[in-house]
Amino acid sequence: MRLLPARPRLLALGEPTHGEDTLLGLRNELFQQLVEQEGYRTIAIESGCLAGLVVDSYVTSGKGTLDEVMERGFSHGFGASAANRELVRWMRAYNVRAENDGRPASDRLRFAGFDGPLEITHAASPRQALTALHGYLATRVGPDLLPCTAGTLDRLLGADDQWTDQAAMTDPAQSVGRSAEAEELRLLADDLVALLDAQAPHLLAATSREAPDRESLDREDLDRARLYARTATGLLRYHHWMADTSPARMTRLCALRDLMMADNLVALAGRGPTLAFAHNAHLQREKSTMRMWQGPVEWWSAGALVHARLGDAYAYVATALGTIRHQGVDTPPPDTLEGLLYALPEERCLIDAPRLATALGETPAAPRVSPWFGYAPLDPARLADKDGIVFVKDVPRSRRTDRP
């Protein structure tokens, strides 16, 4: 916090690779310190936003079992991580202690996924988000205000496997995103979101006038409905552009994914100080780049989009590392940024990135080239764009859980 002018509403910690429990364990330690010393109460990770509701329900109320939560509450295979399991276990234990101590519900720790329900191979069906949004409104407003019935949505959605067909990721012709039914669903989703926004005062006040203690629960329900709304419209938009045949198709899809991330992060920051954890490429303030089967793509990252909205209330600390020997990433060359940091005696340390950039002057360190596609070194030319760097010298092989 001493690196920052003020406590940010959203503190982002990036990682240069996925799936390494050493980095996730460091994240866990940081979150515990932020909870105990800085009043942070929410952690958001690069995992599906709807699946994350399962984890949040467990850590706040104990619903389900830890095994079930790790199996159903994470996307991208992150539920197999021992460090993620330990995070969930610690958060639940903290909340139990808080409840036993008589602390208010507002003091509970919260968990969130902020990625869309997307994989690199496919996108989810919009069914869960769209029907949940419709169901929320149907129990709270008159049927004459609803733009359609639940049966109409079900008919237009059809079979879920047509939405999740993995062939559509590389072949736009296989996507149903521009079918007549999908286009009608986009219009209906827009009308449902407009109805949600237009009825917000009623949705908050319907029960709280008679039961003031219900107001926080009503707001919680409304926030969840807004998550369903963002996800439904985001998925329908994503599927629409999966059917695109232009050269900009993958650039647009990457940008839409990060836009969904940014919308979720801004919403989370609105309810209190939050730690966000994801790949550096999603949290950095500059554009992200990736080489895909269609060639190189470039888009504005979620971090850049969030910074444009929150300004100094957004802070970004990148993680850099020296070796991942089990992946063929050996000692970094001494003239690279990672090589300079590797020469320090500490196993891990925190670096003032703008100050380091000033010290290096007009001759920045050489860029490191990774022999493994799964690890992305830091760009030394963009050092000053970060608020700090956490450097981890060596990353040993992670242990996986023997449970889901």
Side-chain angles (χ1 to χ4, degrees):
M1 290 297 172
R2 288 194 295 270
L3 293 179
L4 308 173
R7 184 181 71 170
R9 276 191 285 152
L10 188 64
L11 174 59
L13 176 66
E15 61 175 353
T17 185
H18 283 319
E20 298 296 341
D21 274 358
T22 296
L23 303 183
L24 301 184
L26 185 148
R27 171 208 64 191
N28 292 354
E29 291 180 37
L30 173 62
F31 182 55
Q32 291 176 24
Q33 292 179 33
L34 290 171
V35 168
E36 294 164 357
Q37 301 174 25
E38 300 292 338
Y40 279 63
R41 288 296 178 266
T42 300
I43 185 168
I45 74 168
E46 186 187 337
S47 184
C49 56
L50 299 186
L53 296 174
V54 175
V55 185
D56 187 57
S57 181
Y58 174 78
V59 300
T60 56
S61 66
K63 183 178 179 180
T65 68
L66 182 57
D67 285 349
E68 292 169 347
V69 167
M70 299 311 297
E71 183 176 8
R72 298 174 45 236
F74 292 84
S75 62
H76 312 329
F78 293 159
S81 161
N84 281 336
R85 188 182 186 89
E86 182 55 35
L87 172 68
V88 175
R89 193 199 322 269
W90 180 82
M91 292 178 69
R92 177 59 191 152
Y94 182 97
N95 283 340
V96 170
R97 290 195 303 272
E99 184 177 342
N100 292 340
D101 291 343
R103 283 184 275 176
S106 59
D107 199 42
R108 292 178 303 182
L109 302 186
R110 304 297 300 270
F111 178 95
F114 68 87
D115 200 355
L118 308 170
E119 298 285 350
I120 191 65
T121 56
H122 65 281
S125 164
R127 179 183 301 278
Q128 180 184 356
L130 198 52
T131 56
L133 173 61
H134 184 277
Y136 171 84
L137 289 167
T139 60
R140 292 166 173 83
V141 303
D144 54 319
L145 292 178
L146 293 169
C148 65
T149 66
T152 298
L153 289 182
D154 186 62
R155 175 180 60 81
L156 293 172
L157 285 163
D160 284 344
D161 57 6
Q162 68 177 337
W163 295 95
T164 58
D165 184 1
Q166 295 189 12
M169 182 54 73
T170 54
D171 182 3
Q174 303 303 312
S175 172
V176 297
R178 295 193 179 183
S179 65
E181 292 81 2
E183 294 299 334
E184 187 173 352
L185 283 169
R186 290 189 76 188
L187 293 174
L188 291 174
D190 183 70
D191 284 340
L192 287 169
V193 174
L195 179 60
L196 181 71
D197 291 340
Q199 292 293 316
H202 161 72
L203 297 171
L204 283 176
T207 58
S208 59
R209 280 193 298 267
E210 299 176 1
D213 58 329
R214 279 283 309 171
E215 184 172 359
S216 62
L217 296 176
D218 289 341
R219 187 169 295 279
E220 181 88 7
D221 289 343
L222 180 57
D223 285 346
R224 180 170 293 201
R226 285 170 172 158
L227 171 62
Y228 289 136
R230 293 192 301 271
T231 306
T233 54
L235 277 173
L236 286 166
R237 187 180 300 118
Y238 193 90
H239 279 288
H240 175 86
W241 288 105
M242 282 184 74
D244 182 38
T245 58
S246 76
R249 176 177 181 266
M250 289 310 302
T251 296
R252 194 182 297 272
L253 291 178
C254 290
L256 288 175
R257 180 189 178 194
D258 273 54
L259 178 59
M260 292 177 72
M261 289 184 174
D263 288 342
N264 287 332
L265 286 173
V266 170
L268 289 167
R271 71 185 190 192
T274 298
L275 173 66
F277 182 79
H279 198 283
N280 286 326
H282 293 303
L283 298 177
Q284 62 194 20
R285 290 190 179 96
E286 63 263 22
K287 279 188 171 181
S288 296
T289 59
M290 181 184 297
R291 178 166 291 277
M292 306 189 77
W293 55 86
Q294 290 186 336
V297 294
E298 182 181 74
W299 70 97
W300 285 108
S301 66
L305 298 173
V306 171
H307 178 66
R309 297 189 221 178
L310 298 185
D312 290 341
Y314 178 74
Y316 166 55
V317 177
T319 300
L321 53 85
T323 72
I324 325 174
R325 298 192 193 279
H326 56 280
Q327 297 290 3
V329 181
D330 292 320
T331 304
D335 61 339
T336 64
L337 176 62
E338 288 84 355
L340 293 171
L341 299 177
Y342 196 80
L344 297 174
E346 295 85 3
E347 287 299 314
R348 59 188 195 182
C349 54
L350 176 64
I351 307 295
D352 184 329
R355 188 176 175 187
L356 178 58
T358 301
L360 293 174
E362 297 181 0
T363 55
R368 186 183 191 184
V369 178
S370 172
W372 175 48
F373 73 94
Y375 159 61
L378 294 185
D379 180 357
R382 306 306 298 263
L383 191 56
D385 294 336
K386 302 162 182 58
D387 295 299
I389 297 173
V390 173
F391 182 72
V392 178
K393 202 164 194 176
D394 299 293
V395 177
R397 188 184 300 272
S398 296
R399 61 187 178 92
R400 314 310 288 171
T401 63
D402 56 0
R403 301 176 181 180

